Amino acid sequence: MSEDASNHPMHEVLGRWKAAFDGHRPAAMADLFTPDALFQGFGPVVVSGREAVRAYYEAVSAERSAHVADVQGYRIGEGVAGGFADITFRDPDGWAVSVHLSLVLLRDGDGWRIRQYHVSRAAADD
């Protein structure tokens, strides 16, 4: 059963992720991930580690922003959580793409970090 997003680690992590993404802060983005994180963005290649995550976000246009919607989450014990969200990336020129994002989160001290990140494009309505 899905938890209320406002009480789930997905809400907190995605809030920090959105702030760092919208502020085009690649180092802050990388810090959201575990040192051995698996990351698959728009490209077909899965990369691993914070340096790869930082490099990925450095290549994203500083004018892009992210809208987060429909957050759903689950927990596996006290130290593992995960979930899904719908994200729409936009820029001021009208470019927009919608994706489904899935995350696996690990507790790190008092907070949470992303261990696995996967994006898949949302199908366009026909």
Side-chain angles (χ1 to χ4, degrees), residues 28-66:
M29 295 295 292
D31 191 50
L32 295 172
F33 290 79
T34 63
D36 61 346
L38 296 175
F39 180 95
Q40 184 170 15
F42 282 102
V45 177
V46 175
V47 298
S48 180
R50 287 184 180 147
E51 270 308 300
V53 171
R54 185 191 54 71
Y56 179 90
Y57 285 114
E58 281 180 344
V60 173
S61 169
E63 295 184 354
R64 289 201 177 142
S65 63

Side-chain angles (χ1 to χ4, degrees), residues 82-105:
F84 306 90
D86 291 333
I87 311 291
T88 301
F89 296 102
R90 295 186 173 100
D91 73 17
D93 295 327
W95 174 88
V97 65
S98 295
V99 301
H100 301 295
L101 174 65
S102 64
L103 300 178
V104 175
L105 308 173

Side-chain angles (χ1 to χ4, degrees), residues 106-112:
L106 295 179
R107 184 179 292 281
D108 181 20
D110 291 334
W112 293 87

